[in-house]
Amino acid sequence: MNYDKYSEVKDLIKWLYAGSDETYGYRRIQDELFLFGYVDDETVRRIMRSSFHLTKESTEKSLRT
């Protein structure tokens, strides 16, 4: 049996993301999760990247001038 220690966090992220009409990025999700006691931003980014198929380019600012 595989135990996913982040299953509760994944469900909460999906709920927050769906409640925002899918407009929240990882920073807003992270701010909301802070209110629930979760503070690890790397975990939030990793979960969002895998669950919502976000690419690294879409989560970083463009450096074009």
Side-chain angles (χ1 to χ4, degrees):
M1 174 183 255
N2 292 335
Y3 175 72
D4 184 12
K5 66 180 181 178
Y6 296 114
S7 64
E8 181 182 337
V9 177
K10 285 179 183 180
D11 292 339
L12 194 53
I13 288 173
K14 288 178 184 179
W15 179 74
L16 290 168
Y17 190 70
S20 72
D21 294 326
E22 300 181 357
T23 59
Y24 276 10
Y26 82 90
R27 289 182 183 169
R28 285 185 178 174
I29 296 289
Q30 176 62 30
D31 290 342
E32 295 290 328
L33 288 175
F34 179 75
L35 299 174
F36 291 100
Y38 301 104
V39 293
D40 187 16
D41 63 331
E42 286 295 321
T43 303
V44 172
R45 275 187 263 173
R46 183 180 49 80
I47 290 171
M48 288 188 71
R49 209 174 300 140
S50 67
S51 297
F52 304 111
H53 307 292
L54 299 177
T55 62
K56 188 173 182 181
E57 292 83 27
S58 69
T59 58
E60 293 180 354
K61 282 189 170 182
S62 175
L63 298 177
R64 294 183 200 179
T65 56

